[in-house]
Structure formats: C-alpha cells, structure tokens
Amino acid sequence: MNHQTLRNLVATTALVPLLGLAPAAAQVIDLEGRTVTIVHNASPGGSTGLISQLAADAWSQTMEGNPTIVVQSVEGGALSRGILHVMNARPDGRTLGWVAWQGSTRVLDPVERQIPFQDFGLIGGVGGSVFIAHTSTDPERGMNSAEDLPQLDHYTFGGYSPRSGPSIRTAVAMDMLGVDWTFVSGMSGDTPLEAARQRGEIDGYPVTAAYYLSTLAPGPVAEGTDIPLFYFTAPNEDGTGLSVDPTLEGMLPFDQYYEQVTGSAPEGPGWDMIMYHARVTDPINWLVVAPPGTPDEHLQMLRESFAEALESEEFLAGAEELLGMVPTVSYYDDVQAIVDEIANTPEAMRQLQRDYIGRMER
C-alpha cells in the first residue's frame, strides 16, 4: 500500500462523521437477526484468526441481540490493510476489528503513514505473551550455562522483523550485557526459527513461553543442547521491574538476571526501552476495536459483552488449548492507557527504537 493511498484512507475516515454515516445520537444499535463481522489482519488459519474465531463464538452469546458473528481475514500491507478496513467501515455495529497492531513500533512511522488508534472505538485487548531469550550450548565458546552469556564474544539471533518488540528488546539486552550481536530477519514463527537454530544459522531467538514449555524444555533444553537465558514480561505490580512467571522455574526475568550477572540493577535508556515495551507491547497482542464514530452507548455494550465473553470458561479453555497458555485479557481503561502512552511516546524513545531498527536492518 503506497503512502498516498494510506493518506486518502485516513482522510476518508476523518470525514465519516461529517457525512452522516455515524448515528447522530448515542444508542445501542439493534443487532437482532443481523450478522456482525470481526475482521482480523493476518492469514487464515494462524493464531490471530483462530483466537478471533474462539472469541466470536463466545461473544455471540453475550452481545446484545445475539447476532451471528463471522470472522473475516483481511491481510496484507504489513498488517495495515485489515486495520484500515475496520477504520473505514461504517460505524453501524456490524464491523469490529481483532487486529495484531504493533502499536509501539507503528508510532515510528512518518506522520502521514501513522494509524490513529486513539480514534477507534476501543473495546479491549488480548495477549500477555512472555518471550524467552535462549542460546545453543557451545562448550568451545564457553557457553555452558546462562551465566556464561556476558563472556560470549558474539550472539546471532533470528526473528520475523527488526520492528518486532521482542527482537528489539533482545538487541538492547545484549548491548546492556556487553555482547556483540547480529540479527537475522525474515523468519516467521517459532518452528522455522528453531529449525534455523538447529542448523547452526543462528544461536537463538526470542521464543514464546508456550513454545518453550511445549517443545524446547522437554527437547533441546532437556538434552543439553539449548540454554534458556532470561525472559521478558509485563511490569511487576509496582512497576519497578518485570514480573516473575511462576511457570518458568530456573529462569529469571531480564532485570533479575542482569543484576545476578553484573552485580547492579539495570538502568539507562536501554532499560527504559525494555520497560516501555513491557508496559505497551506485552499486555496486548491483539487490539479489539470498533470503527471511529461508533455510538458511545453501543461501545459500552460491546465492552461489557466482550468482558463477559472472554471471561467465560468456553473461551478460556479453548484459548489455553490453542495458545498453550491462558491469555491476558485487557479491558477498556487499560487499553486506553496503553494507546495514550504510545501516542505520547517521547521523541527520544522513538529515536532510540529507530536506531536499533536501523542497526538490525544492516
């Protein structure tokens, strides 16, 4: 999608309320007998599509009017096409978005290409992924335990994109530990990344906790060919560091690992960036939204029915089976706070992320 097309779409959306497409008064739109489409922005059959279908099945039972809810994939444009599809939909209650949004790095785009997430009707969010840094065992290089990492001369890690939050944080962590690094891009998903590690093309990659627990821990880690290093999580309760994941026994969140191997607490711009991503990236993998201009009363109904649906045993059990973990569900107030923080990201933080992305793209 070219820049002019995106500018035109944003401009069109800005005009929607002026054209009278939004209901004039706040109201709950009558959805009885109607079909509501949940649009996601990834390929069919992936985790985004499957989790949105689970949510649709549960939400149809709690949404006022009990409409039929179908899921539609609108992929492409570096995940932008599906987001823009929802942004430009009529605010008539019949289109919702369940989008992988990458808000923390989209804010780095030129102004004319940025998507105004704050203009959407925010409903909720789903995510809570934990990412683990790990490396192949290499006795010849002195890599026999997690504590050996700061003495490693070089670490090559892989990922889907330099704009990925886990990849950026891995690069930052290596810099803080004084380890030279190289990033290999274009690997989508844990399975191809693990295959690359086993072929010796990379030393490791930021892996999801679900894949680690189901595949790496009982396989390469148990066999002694792979070593977990540390992990990234959302902030702890008082916001001073990263939270501890009780399922990851024998591992530490990065801040505790850093203090263990260096003798001092992490600080500085790199640590600030890790905490920034902990606040705005980890809690929400998928943002759930209505088009701009959706009536406030209808949004309130959507928020309440969303909470009821995603707290149901039906959804939680299905999500745990699909994702290998019970996802974190965020509600309107928390989502609004995250969207606001991203929109107001200081220029110094934006530039630091751009600098890391530039280094990773070399």
Side-chain angles (χ1 to χ4, degrees), residues 292-309:
T294 300
D296 289 343
E297 191 172 335
H298 191 75
L299 279 174
Q300 186 60 34
M301 180 278 291
L302 291 173
R303 292 164 184 156
E304 292 172 359
S305 59
F306 169 83
E308 184 180 355

mmCIF file of all heavy atoms in Angstrom, residues 292-309:
data_model
loop_
_atom_site.group_PDB
_atom_site.id
_atom_site.type_symbol
_atom_site.label_atom_id
_atom_site.label_comp_id
_atom_site.label_asym_id
_atom_site.label_seq_id
_atom_site.Cartn_x
_atom_site.Cartn_y
_atom_site.Cartn_z
ATOM 1 N N PRO A 292 -14.209 4.181 14.076
ATOM 2 C CA PRO A 292 -14.421 5.527 14.610
ATOM 3 C C PRO A 292 -15.863 5.964 14.368
ATOM 4 O O PRO A 292 -16.453 5.675 13.327
ATOM 5 C CB PRO A 292 -13.442 6.385 13.797
ATOM 6 C CG PRO A 292 -12.378 5.431 13.366
ATOM 7 C CD PRO A 292 -13.076 4.133 13.122
ATOM 8 N N GLY A 293 -16.427 6.667 15.342
ATOM 9 C CA GLY A 293 -17.789 7.151 15.214
ATOM 10 C C GLY A 293 -18.849 6.220 15.769
ATOM 11 O O GLY A 293 -20.033 6.563 15.765
ATOM 12 N N THR A 294 -18.473 5.058 16.261
ATOM 13 C CA THR A 294 -19.452 4.152 16.865
ATOM 14 C C THR A 294 -20.053 4.818 18.104
ATOM 15 O O THR A 294 -19.326 5.374 18.926
ATOM 16 C CB THR A 294 -18.782 2.821 17.258
ATOM 17 O OG1 THR A 294 -18.236 2.212 16.074
ATOM 18 C CG2 THR A 294 -19.770 1.866 17.895
ATOM 19 N N PRO A 295 -21.371 4.791 18.255
ATOM 20 C CA PRO A 295 -22.007 5.486 19.386
ATOM 21 C C PRO A 295 -21.489 5.011 20.746
ATOM 22 O O PRO A 295 -21.213 3.821 20.942
ATOM 23 C CB PRO A 295 -23.490 5.128 19.223
ATOM 24 C CG PRO A 295 -23.648 4.790 17.783
ATOM 25 C CD PRO A 295 -22.362 4.170 17.359
ATOM 26 N N ASP A 296 -21.379 5.941 21.682
ATOM 27 C CA ASP A 296 -20.830 5.632 22.997
ATOM 28 C C ASP A 296 -21.623 4.533 23.712
ATOM 29 O O ASP A 296 -21.036 3.650 24.341
ATOM 30 C CB ASP A 296 -20.816 6.893 23.870
ATOM 31 C CG ASP A 296 -19.769 7.894 23.411
ATOM 32 O OD1 ASP A 296 -18.855 7.503 22.648
ATOM 33 O OD2 ASP A 296 -19.866 9.072 23.798
ATOM 34 N N GLU A 297 -22.953 4.608 23.634
ATOM 35 C CA GLU A 297 -23.756 3.615 24.343
ATOM 36 C C GLU A 297 -23.549 2.227 23.741
ATOM 37 O O GLU A 297 -23.496 1.226 24.459
ATOM 38 C CB GLU A 297 -25.239 3.996 24.297
ATOM 39 C CG GLU A 297 -26.100 3.161 25.236
ATOM 40 C CD GLU A 297 -27.518 3.686 25.320
ATOM 41 O OE1 GLU A 297 -27.741 4.892 25.066
ATOM 42 O OE2 GLU A 297 -28.410 2.881 25.637
ATOM 43 N N HIS A 298 -23.393 2.164 22.435
ATOM 44 C CA HIS A 298 -23.133 0.877 21.791
ATOM 45 C C HIS A 298 -21.748 0.362 22.179
ATOM 46 O O HIS A 298 -21.565 -0.837 22.428
ATOM 47 C CB HIS A 298 -23.245 1.003 20.273
ATOM 48 C CG HIS A 298 -23.255 -0.317 19.567
ATOM 49 N ND1 HIS A 298 -24.353 -1.143 19.558
ATOM 50 C CD2 HIS A 298 -22.295 -0.975 18.858
ATOM 51 C CE1 HIS A 298 -24.085 -2.241 18.879
ATOM 52 N NE2 HIS A 298 -22.835 -2.161 18.441
ATOM 53 N N LEU A 299 -20.775 1.268 22.247
ATOM 54 C CA LEU A 299 -19.437 0.871 22.684
ATOM 55 C C LEU A 299 -19.459 0.309 24.094
ATOM 56 O O LEU A 299 -18.773 -0.682 24.388
ATOM 57 C CB LEU A 299 -18.485 2.073 22.627
ATOM 58 C CG LEU A 299 -17.899 2.434 21.261
ATOM 59 C CD1 LEU A 299 -17.098 3.723 21.372
ATOM 60 C CD2 LEU A 299 -17.031 1.302 20.731
ATOM 61 N N GLN A 300 -20.220 0.926 24.977
ATOM 62 C CA GLN A 300 -20.306 0.432 26.341
ATOM 63 C C GLN A 300 -20.871 -0.987 26.362
ATOM 64 O O GLN A 300 -20.384 -1.859 27.089
ATOM 65 C CB GLN A 300 -21.172 1.357 27.197
ATOM 66 C CG GLN A 300 -21.213 0.993 28.679
ATOM 67 C CD GLN A 300 -19.832 1.030 29.320
ATOM 68 O OE1 GLN A 300 -18.976 1.850 28.962
ATOM 69 N NE2 GLN A 300 -19.591 0.133 30.266
ATOM 70 N N MET A 301 -21.899 -1.238 25.535
ATOM 71 C CA MET A 301 -22.442 -2.596 25.442
ATOM 72 C C MET A 301 -21.377 -3.563 24.935
ATOM 73 O O MET A 301 -21.231 -4.683 25.451
ATOM 74 C CB MET A 301 -23.662 -2.598 24.515
ATOM 75 C CG MET A 301 -24.337 -3.970 24.338
ATOM 76 S SD MET A 301 -23.534 -5.065 23.115
ATOM 77 C CE MET A 301 -23.922 -4.193 21.583
ATOM 78 N N LEU A 302 -20.610 -3.151 23.925
ATOM 79 C CA LEU A 302 -19.575 -4.020 23.377
ATOM 80 C C LEU A 302 -18.501 -4.329 24.418
ATOM 81 O O LEU A 302 -18.025 -5.469 24.520
ATOM 82 C CB LEU A 302 -18.942 -3.371 22.147
ATOM 83 C CG LEU A 302 -19.824 -3.261 20.902
ATOM 84 C CD1 LEU A 302 -19.127 -2.444 19.822
ATOM 85 C CD2 LEU A 302 -20.187 -4.644 20.365
ATOM 86 N N ARG A 303 -18.116 -3.317 25.191
ATOM 87 C CA ARG A 303 -17.095 -3.534 26.220
ATOM 88 C C ARG A 303 -17.578 -4.501 27.289
ATOM 89 O O ARG A 303 -16.843 -5.396 27.727
ATOM 90 C CB ARG A 303 -16.699 -2.193 26.844
ATOM 91 C CG ARG A 303 -15.943 -1.281 25.881
ATOM 92 C CD ARG A 303 -15.895 0.159 26.353
ATOM 93 N NE ARG A 303 -15.239 1.018 25.373
ATOM 94 C CZ ARG A 303 -15.427 2.319 25.253
ATOM 95 N NH1 ARG A 303 -16.288 2.938 26.080
ATOM 96 N NH2 ARG A 303 -14.795 3.014 24.334
ATOM 97 N N GLU A 304 -18.809 -4.341 27.714
ATOM 98 C CA GLU A 304 -19.348 -5.213 28.758
ATOM 99 C C GLU A 304 -19.538 -6.637 28.238
ATOM 100 O O GLU A 304 -19.200 -7.610 28.938
ATOM 101 C CB GLU A 304 -20.673 -4.646 29.268
ATOM 102 C CG GLU A 304 -20.515 -3.343 30.041
ATOM 103 C CD GLU A 304 -21.841 -2.687 30.386
ATOM 104 O OE1 GLU A 304 -22.893 -3.248 30.001
ATOM 105 O OE2 GLU A 304 -21.821 -1.618 31.033
ATOM 106 N N SER A 305 -20.051 -6.789 27.031
ATOM 107 C CA SER A 305 -20.282 -8.126 26.495
ATOM 108 C C SER A 305 -18.964 -8.811 26.133
ATOM 109 O O SER A 305 -18.838 -10.040 26.234
ATOM 110 C CB SER A 305 -21.215 -8.060 25.283
ATOM 111 O OG SER A 305 -20.691 -7.239 24.251
ATOM 112 N N PHE A 306 -17.962 -8.013 25.709
ATOM 113 C CA PHE A 306 -16.622 -8.548 25.452
ATOM 114 C C PHE A 306 -16.038 -9.133 26.728
ATOM 115 O O PHE A 306 -15.509 -10.253 26.737
ATOM 116 C CB PHE A 306 -15.729 -7.432 24.910
ATOM 117 C CG PHE A 306 -14.253 -7.757 24.850
ATOM 118 C CD1 PHE A 306 -13.727 -8.470 23.780
ATOM 119 C CD2 PHE A 306 -13.388 -7.331 25.850
ATOM 120 C CE1 PHE A 306 -12.373 -8.763 23.723
ATOM 121 C CE2 PHE A 306 -12.038 -7.611 25.801
ATOM 122 C CZ PHE A 306 -11.521 -8.331 24.735
ATOM 123 N N ALA A 307 -16.128 -8.389 27.825
ATOM 124 C CA ALA A 307 -15.598 -8.874 29.102
ATOM 125 C C ALA A 307 -16.297 -10.159 29.528
ATOM 126 O O ALA A 307 -15.651 -11.120 29.959
ATOM 127 C CB ALA A 307 -15.758 -7.793 30.174
ATOM 128 N N GLU A 308 -17.602 -10.188 29.396
ATOM 129 C CA GLU A 308 -18.354 -11.383 29.783
ATOM 130 C C GLU A 308 -17.961 -12.580 28.917
ATOM 131 O O GLU A 308 -17.765 -13.696 29.419
ATOM 132 C CB GLU A 308 -19.848 -11.120 29.662
ATOM 133 C CG GLU A 308 -20.715 -12.278 30.129
ATOM 134 C CD GLU A 308 -22.200 -12.001 29.991
ATOM 135 O OE1 GLU A 308 -22.561 -10.860 29.607
ATOM 136 O OE2 GLU A 308 -22.995 -12.920 30.254
ATOM 137 N N ALA A 309 -17.811 -12.355 27.624
ATOM 138 C CA ALA A 309 -17.473 -13.451 26.714
ATOM 139 C C ALA A 309 -16.084 -14.001 26.983
ATOM 140 O O ALA A 309 -15.872 -15.226 27.017
ATOM 141 C CB ALA A 309 -17.572 -12.972 25.268
#
